[in-house]
Amino acid sequence: MDQAISSVVRKLQMVNTSDHNSVVSINIFVALLCASIVIGHLLEESRWMNESITALLIGVCAGVIILLTTGGKSSHLFVFSEDLFFIYVLPPIIFNAGFQVKKKQFFRNFITIMLFGAIGTLVSCTIISLGVIQFFKKLDIGTLDIGDYLAIGAIFAATDSVCTLQVLNQDDTPLLYSLVFGEGVVNDATSVVLFNAIQSFDLTHINTRSAFQFIGNFLYLFFTSTLLGVIAGLLSAYIIKKLYFGRHSTDREVAIMVLMAYLSYMLAELFYLSGILTVFFCGIVMSHYTWHNVTESSRVTTKHTFATLSFVAEIFIFLYVGMDALDIEKWRFVKGSPGTSVAASAMLMGLIMAGRAAFVFPLSFLTNLAKKSPTEKISIKQQVIIWWAGLMRGAVSMALAYNQFTRSGHTQLRENAIMITSTITVVLFSTVVFGLMTKPLIRLLLPHPKHTTNHILSDPSTPKSLSQPLLEEGQQDSYADLGGPTVPRPGSLRALLTTPTHTVHYYWRKFDDAFMRPVFGGRGFAPFVPGSPTERSVRGGQ
């Protein structure tokens, strides 16, 4: 009996020690988050640094300290988990990107963004996959199969849109910001969809039929994920418009918006779709309809809540990536052949640069052919900046690499360890080097961006996509909302062919005002209830 009691006591003590260690780890990590925010703020005006690189470097320094204090056993406070990343950290970042996106500018550049984000990702993935098949066999990395090679292409085709937000300035370079950021979001979603399609597809017998099945599976995931996000956003708008929680409690409508946004992402994961695409388009639909159906105080609350969650998640990602860069378990496997890991990293970096160049310049040339005005065309200097800014790789690449080459964050195979260490090296090198050099490169190639922006603003013939940033403080939806002229009615099929964006926008506005907004609400269609968003405007008119 005494032995049983002592055994239970020992187990409870072990549990308490484990819980205490977790509390210590969480305290240290939160303190590092605070330090990253404070130091990032102090370096905000720096020509070279930004908050992403600051958090990354702080993570590396913290990893060194932890490595020394643990006697070389570990360099991080938590074991990296792709589930943690994809389920808890990534959703608020992508949702906020969709929620804060300036919809008119996003869809005005939609064709170019989709070409870069979807077609460009496929081109980059193909080049990287073919390159590693050709060169990795000469490096004697190990036994990688065709699925691993294709997965490597999808892993390193994923750009780092989070760091892009920190590097580019939406006021100084609005067109570059809109294209690179919009491409980054679509690129991340496309890479994840492509990665999932590769993992779920039988690659042992590849023929023409299987290739078409693969493409069909990819398109199915892409469009059904988008449709699910739209449906979730419309459902939230309809619920809040009909029940109107704000008449009793603004907390309820804020909670519904937050939970419905997260539910859309989890439903996509439940049905094996792309949660990134789903939550991004859910954010766009919510900002167009749901956000206008809540009270004014809830509008302010939700906007800042989503932005804050996204900001903290971004810092969390870069801080952890920095700490995980010194994971001794993975580096121990490659210490016998460090040249192989370095060569693999250099080769991957070269393939990333070649893969991006293979679609940025040709697709820019094609889009320029369809544009008549010289101010609408993407200049060669802007193309160089777009190519350069998209070379950064980040947490999405890390998470996909861990998903493919580890089990619960651990690996015992040399070839898998080499791929993880190569991914870490590429992420660190690209984020620090390309991130640090992007601002000076913009100043070199576009020495007077602010002057150029002002000139564009003063030119009434310049399209809005060139003169206004993709993201902005408010959620404006149309020319009329901006106080500008309405889109003229297209008179013929020729108008559709010559100005497709204006024509589609005109008919979408008619459909939206006639059918969608009366049902789902939105600007000018919110219900008049005491305390509602329309009450102030009605009283003001009286």
Side-chain angles (χ1 to χ4, degrees), residues 135-146:
F135 296 115
F136 272 25
K137 293 179 181 179
K138 299 178 181 180
L139 294 178
D140 189 28
I141 289 180
T143 56
L144 297 176
D145 56 28
I146 184 64

Side-chain angles (χ1 to χ4, degrees), residues 11 23 178 219 231 235-236 270 331 370 390 403 419 448 519:
K11 290 181 180 180
V23 171
S178 65
L219 294 175
I231 292 174
L235 181 61
S236 70
L270 177 66
W331 290 105
N403 183 288
M419 290 312 307
H448 304 291
V519 176

Side-chain angles (χ1 to χ4, degrees), residues 232-243:
L234 291 176
L235 181 61
S236 70
Y238 185 80
I239 291 174
I240 289 181
K241 181 175 181 291
K242 288 298 181 182
L243 300 182

